[in-house]
Amino acid sequence: MEGKIIMSSREFQRMRVFREVAEKRMTLMVAAALIGISYRQAKRLKARFARADVKGLIHGNRGRTPANVLHEATCTRVIELYTQQYADTNDTHFTELLREREGIALGRETVRKILRSAGSPPKRRRRPPKHRSRRQRKERIGQMIQWDGSPHPWFGNRHPPCCLLAAVDDATTTILAALFVTVESSEGYLRLLEMILRKRGIPMAIYHDQHSSLVRTDGHWSLQEQMQGRQFPTHVGRVLEELGIESIPATSPQAKGRIERTFGTLQDRLMPELRLAKISNIPAANAWLESEFIPRSNARFAITPQESDSAFVSISQGKIHQCVAFAYEAIIGNDNAVRLGGIVIDIPPGPSRRSYAKANVLVRQHLDGSWTVSLGSQQIATHPPTPLREPIRSWKSRKDCNKHSPRSVLQVYIASKPALPSMGTFSLGR
């Protein structure tokens, strides 16, 4: 639409960061580290942003086919040759054999990227010792939050263990939200995110561990993922992408030390207070956390940020309900119904009794259990609430995958496939 600019989540994040730089509330070096680019590239983007505002952050080659594009058939052939004949060769040797024996002339780096994207590890790993250094706190609240889960016998040894999910602000160590759940899961993290969004808004980044609810931990790659060079995210990862929140996985417990130390404090203080309050079940504990413990803990341990402005971005309640949900791709059947495992969602006729048969739709299960079916931006059907189910990880054999589907790994709701990761779009009026 004329007068509006459609941006990806990455470009939206860069716009937020460079506006902070333009208003002199963030240094260019901090901005470069936040969005993961070099200082020189940050200087170039800053100049482009100063000349053309938001348009300067949109790549000039958008929509163009790269001149050096590698055809999908070539990638598939390279992967097949490696797995069937050359699996015991290193990257350089395999590149030479491709040129000499198969007539495929590719660079060593290109071959390496194809193999790594297909999940083939290098023949030998060379990892130097890691140097760890202290990371300074962020300057403003909302620039980064850290969240994690802590399984523990929170109600004493006479009760079954459960998990406490918590999110703290990196700049202030403020507990933004906390939630007792039975086990650490996708549903728990989505509910924790919903609490943060309702209370504060959208943060810039979330730092977390590599739990399977947050990042893909399997080594299986579908053909579609191999071609894109990235694995599809989990349900929580997809929601973070749509909201424009940078997801930063930590590679060690030491990297997310603030949330780890917070859990140490909570295990020391929270258990006695739960006992003194005579609370021994999850619903009562969650209500008590919200009304009693978190305000007192923040008053005791939170510190003042270096800058008083907040980096949180407000979001409407309706948008939270729509985005923070499980999402699955589906195809409407000839009987105008969507089937997800044992659930059948009937699709009513459209305008002029239009049929939606064979249409690709997005089916969301919201955190209240209700279902909505969307065709593009149009909601075309609803379904009453059903119990939330943790998506399961499954994979088919390569033979079955090639016969029925281009993918070999699905995170599913019983027998359904998840939504493809769509970089969320933001419309900015001019």
Side-chain angles (χ1 to χ4, degrees):
M1 183 180 295
E2 187 176 359
K4 293 187 176 181
I5 300 174
I6 304 301
M7 307 178 67
S8 69
S9 297
R10 179 184 179 188
E11 291 162 348
F12 178 73
Q13 183 199 17
R14 289 188 172 188
M15 179 204 68
R16 290 174 61 184
V17 170
F18 280 106
R19 280 186 176 172
E20 299 287 331
V21 174
E23 295 170 3
K24 297 184 178 180
R25 295 192 294 182
M26 181 185 297
T27 65
L28 192 57
M29 184 169 293
V30 172
L34 182 62
I35 61 180
I37 62 176
S38 67
Y39 181 76
R40 291 180 63 187
Q41 178 66 4
K43 290 177 66 177
R44 298 188 191 101
L45 290 178
K46 178 184 176 183
R48 287 166 53 183
F49 184 72
R51 290 195 305 268
D53 197 38
V54 175
K55 292 183 179 179
L57 301 179
I58 299 176
H59 201 283
N61 286 334
R62 175 175 290 179
R64 301 178 184 175
T65 302
N68 61 342
V69 64
L70 193 62
H71 294 291
E72 183 175 323
T74 303
C75 294
T76 304
R77 179 60 177 160
V78 169
I79 294 168
E80 289 177 351
L81 287 170
Y82 183 81
T83 55
Q84 296 173 7
Q85 301 182 41
Y86 305 106
D88 56 345
T89 62
N90 60 43
D91 296 342
T92 302
H93 190 194
F94 179 50
T95 302
E96 295 170 355
L97 292 174
L98 283 176
R99 183 180 297 106
E100 296 170 1
R101 299 170 61 93
E102 309 295 339
I104 301 176
L106 296 174
R108 186 259 185 195
E109 185 63 16
T110 301
V111 172
R112 188 193 69 82
K113 288 181 179 179
I114 293 174
L115 297 181
R116 294 301 93 78
S117 67
S120 299
K123 187 175 181 180
R124 288 186 294 175
R125 295 181 180 272
R126 297 177 176 86
R127 294 183 177 177
K130 292 185 178 179
H131 173 268
R132 304 187 188 278
S133 59
R134 182 176 181 274
R135 181 180 58 80
Q136 296 294 329
R137 292 179 180 269
K138 297 299 181 183
E139 293 80 10
R140 294 187 297 133
I141 188 170
Q143 280 187 287
M144 176 186 288
I145 67 176
Q146 297 186 20
W147 68 11
D148 199 2
S150 176
H152 196 69
W154 291 101
F155 303 120
N157 294 325
R158 292 182 297 174
H159 298 273
C162 61
C163 182
L164 175 64
L165 300 178
V168 300
D169 180 71
D170 186 76
T172 63
T173 321
T174 301
I175 300 178
L176 302 173
L179 180 69
F180 281 108
V181 292
T182 307
V183 294
E184 191 173 359
S185 64
S186 300
E187 179 188 349
Y189 278 109
L190 288 179
R191 292 193 182 279
L192 188 69
L193 177 62
E194 181 186 41
M195 295 170 66
I196 297 170
L197 296 176
R198 292 187 185 280
K199 293 179 183 178
R200 303 280 185 161
I202 305 175
M204 281 189 170
I206 293 181
Y207 207 57
H208 53 80
D209 63 12
Q210 300 194 40
H211 189 272
S212 59
S213 298
L214 305 174
V215 296
R216 288 277 297 275
T217 56
D218 59 87
H220 299 268
W221 288 66
S222 69
L223 184 59
Q224 191 170 357
E225 289 173 323
Q226 293 171 18
M227 296 302 102
Q228 293 188 11
R230 65 187 291 261
Q231 287 182 306
F232 299 150
T234 64
H235 283 268
V236 179
R238 177 192 53 80
V239 173
L240 296 181
E241 284 188 7
E242 290 187 356
L243 292 173
I245 302 173
E246 184 181 8
S247 174
I248 308 175
T251 57
S252 67
Q254 294 86 351
K256 50 186 181 67
R258 304 205 205 290
I259 185 67
E260 295 288 349
R261 287 189 290 273
T262 297
F263 275 126
T265 302
L266 291 176
Q267 289 181 8
D268 187 46
R269 290 171 170 260
L270 186 53
M271 291 180 63
E273 294 216 22
L274 285 168
R275 177 180 55 80
L276 293 172
K278 298 181 179 180
I279 297 174
S280 59
N281 62 82
I282 288 178
N286 284 333
W288 177 79
L289 277 176
E290 184 77 14
S291 61
E292 297 287 338
F293 183 80
I294 291 179
R296 286 193 287 108
S297 178
N298 287 338
R300 171 68 177 82
F301 294 106
I303 64 174
T304 303
Q306 297 179 31
E307 299 182 15
S308 58
D309 294 341
S310 173
F312 284 104
V313 174
S314 61
I315 180 174
S316 67
Q317 301 298 315
K319 187 70 172 178
I320 296 174
H321 177 75
Q322 177 188 9
C323 288
V324 186
F326 296 100
Y328 307 91
E329 287 183 298
I331 298 177
I332 299 177
N334 289 329
D335 57 353
N336 281 280
V338 172
R339 288 170 172 80
L340 295 175
I343 297 176
V344 179
I345 304 177
D346 293 314
I347 310 298
S352 302
R353 297 199 59 79
R354 170 192 173 185
S355 171
Y356 292 105
K358 303 298 183 182
N360 288 286
V361 293
L362 186 63
V363 184
R364 289 186 176 93
Q365 185 180 25
H366 304 277
L367 294 185
D368 59 3
S370 64
W371 296 82
T372 58
V373 181
S374 300
L375 180 61
S377 60
Q378 178 187 7
Q379 181 177 303
I380 60 175
T382 60
H383 190 274
T386 62
L388 289 168
R389 296 180 179 178
E390 183 71 9
I392 61 174
R393 178 77 63 198
S394 67
W395 52 86
K396 302 176 183 178
S397 67
R398 288 285 176 179
K399 181 178 178 181
D400 292 339
C401 171
N402 293 335
K403 182 178 179 181
H404 298 292
S405 169
R407 289 193 247 174
S408 61
V409 175
L410 305 176
Q411 190 172 42
V412 298
Y413 181 89
I414 305 303
S416 65
K417 59 183 180 179
L420 286 172
S422 59
M423 298 301 288
T425 58
F426 300 83
S427 180
L428 304 176
R430 294 289 291 172

